[in-house]
Structures are given as structure tokens and as C-alpha cells.
């Protein structure tokens, strides 16, 4: 079990005082990237700065949508609007968009980011495309 420590009035633990001294620094980012991962089941959007460090992220599930509603264009637009507000709060004005996946929320997320007040400098589709595919199954013998 270990020793039990008793802290008297006026004493503070070393860990408590170190945690109280640190304050989270809000970064100001002028330009960045938005990665939109749109699947049939969910839409995930990640905001990064120019170096690729994640600034903020959100998904349809984190907002409160559940089940099949997460894959809808409406849910994707709500996620994009929320992240556009977060981006403007940290000073982001211009973004480049990278879209991955074939879900229904691709276009609505892009439109919502644009209508949220962010200037879009580029849009690039980075959906992986299979080359030649897997080996086909053997012929069926009856």
C-alpha cells in the first residue's frame, strides 16, 4: 500500500505547486491545413499548422451524432462549422484542404469551412487508390 502522507495546513505538495505554476499558452496560427477524412460511417476533420502539428480536431461523433447519422452531409457541415470557429479563435485565416475518403460529407465539409470565414488556398484529394488490387478468388468448382 505504501506510506500515507498527511499534509498539514500551509504545506503544499511539490506536484501540486508545479501544476499550478504552468499555464497553457494559446498559439496564434495564421495559416494551416484541414484534413477531412470522410467515410461511410463518420467524418473526421483535423486542423494542423504549417508544420503538421495538430491544433484542433473534431468528428461527427464528438458533436453528438450517433449511428448512421454520423455519415450524413449535415453532420459533416456541423463539424466543419465548429472547427472553423475554433480556427478563427486561434487566428487562422487561410487553410489548405486535403480530402480523404468517399463518404457523403466531403463536399459539405468543404463548403462549410469556406462559409465559416476561412480562405481556402488549395483543395487536394488524397484518397488512396488501389493499383491492380488483391488476387482474385479461385474459380468455383461444383
Amino acid at each position: 500500500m505504501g506510506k500515507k502522507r498527511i499534509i498539514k495546513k500551509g504545506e503544499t505538495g511539490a506536484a501540486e505547486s508545479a501544476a499550478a505554476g504552468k499555464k497553457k499558452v494559446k498559439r496564434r496560427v495564421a495559416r494551416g491545413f484541414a484534413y477531412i477524412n470522410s467515410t461511410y460511417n463518420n467524418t473526421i476533420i483535423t486542423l494542423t499548422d504549417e508544420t503538421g502539428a495538430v491544433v484542433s480536431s473534431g468528428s461527427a461523433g464528438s458533436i453528438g451524432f450517433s449511428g448512421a447519422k454520423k455519415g450524413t452531409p449535415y453532420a459533416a457541415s456541423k463539424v466543419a462549422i465548429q472547427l472553423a470557429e475554433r480556427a478563427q479563435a486561434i487566428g487562422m485565416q487561410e487553410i489548405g484542404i486535403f480530402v480523404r475518403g468517399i463518404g457523403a460529407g466531403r463536399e459539405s465539409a468543404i463548403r462549410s469551412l469556406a462559409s465559416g470565414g476561412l480562405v481556402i488556398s488549395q483543395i487536394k484529394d488524397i484518397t488512396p487508390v488501389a493499383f491492380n488490387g488483391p488476387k482474385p478468388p479461385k474459380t468455383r468448382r461444383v
Side-chain angles (χ1 to χ4, degrees), residues 1 17 22 26 32 37 41 45 47 53-55 61-62 71 75-76 86 88 92 101 107 109-110 119 127 129:
M1 284 282 197
S17 61
K22 279 191 175 181
K26 277 208 167 186
N37 188 4
N41 297 321
I45 303 176
L47 287 176
V54 175
V55 176
S62 68
R86 285 190 207 165
Q88 287 178 340
M92 196 177 287
E107 299 216 6
I110 295 170
V119 177
T127 305
V129 180

Side-chain angles (χ1 to χ4, degrees), residues 74-136:
Y74 178 72
S77 66
K78 287 296 181 185
V79 174
I81 289 169
Q82 184 187 44
L83 283 177
E85 291 171 2
R86 285 190 207 165
Q88 287 178 340
I90 61 169
M92 196 177 287
Q93 298 158 352
E94 184 181 344
I95 58 169
I97 297 178
F98 295 99
V99 185
R100 173 180 280 136
I102 53 175
R106 288 166 54 110
E107 299 216 6
S108 63
I110 295 170
R111 290 179 195 275
S112 296
L113 284 172
S115 67
L118 297 171
V119 177
I120 297 174
S121 59
Q122 67 171 344
I123 300 172
K124 190 172 182 182
D125 190 359
I126 55 170
T127 305
V129 180
F131 177 76
N132 203 12
K135 186 177 176 183

Side-chain angles (χ1 to χ4, degrees), residues 39-59:
T39 64
Y40 290 122
N41 297 321
N42 203 353
T43 302
I44 302 168
I45 303 176
T46 306
L47 287 176
T48 65
D49 59 7
E50 288 183 300
T51 62
V54 175
V55 176
S56 180
S57 68
S59 68

Side-chain angles (χ1 to χ4, degrees), residues 2-74:
K3 282 185 158 182
K4 292 185 180 175
R5 292 187 60 216
I6 300 172
I7 299 176
K8 297 176 184 165
K9 278 189 178 179
E11 285 185 31
T12 57
E16 291 174 20
S17 61
K22 279 191 175 181
K23 190 172 185 182
K24 189 165 183 176
V25 179
K26 277 208 167 186
R27 296 188 325 182
R28 304 297 291 171
V29 180
R31 298 178 66 218
F33 299 109
Y35 291 87
I36 301 172
N37 188 4
S38 179
T39 64
Y40 290 122
N41 297 321
N42 203 353
T43 302
I44 302 168
I45 303 176
T46 306
L47 287 176
T48 65
D49 59 7
E50 288 183 300
T51 62
V54 175
V55 176
S56 180
S57 68
S59 68
S62 68
I63 288 183
F65 290 95
S66 62
K69 298 181 192 88
K70 289 193 295 186
T72 61
Y74 178 72

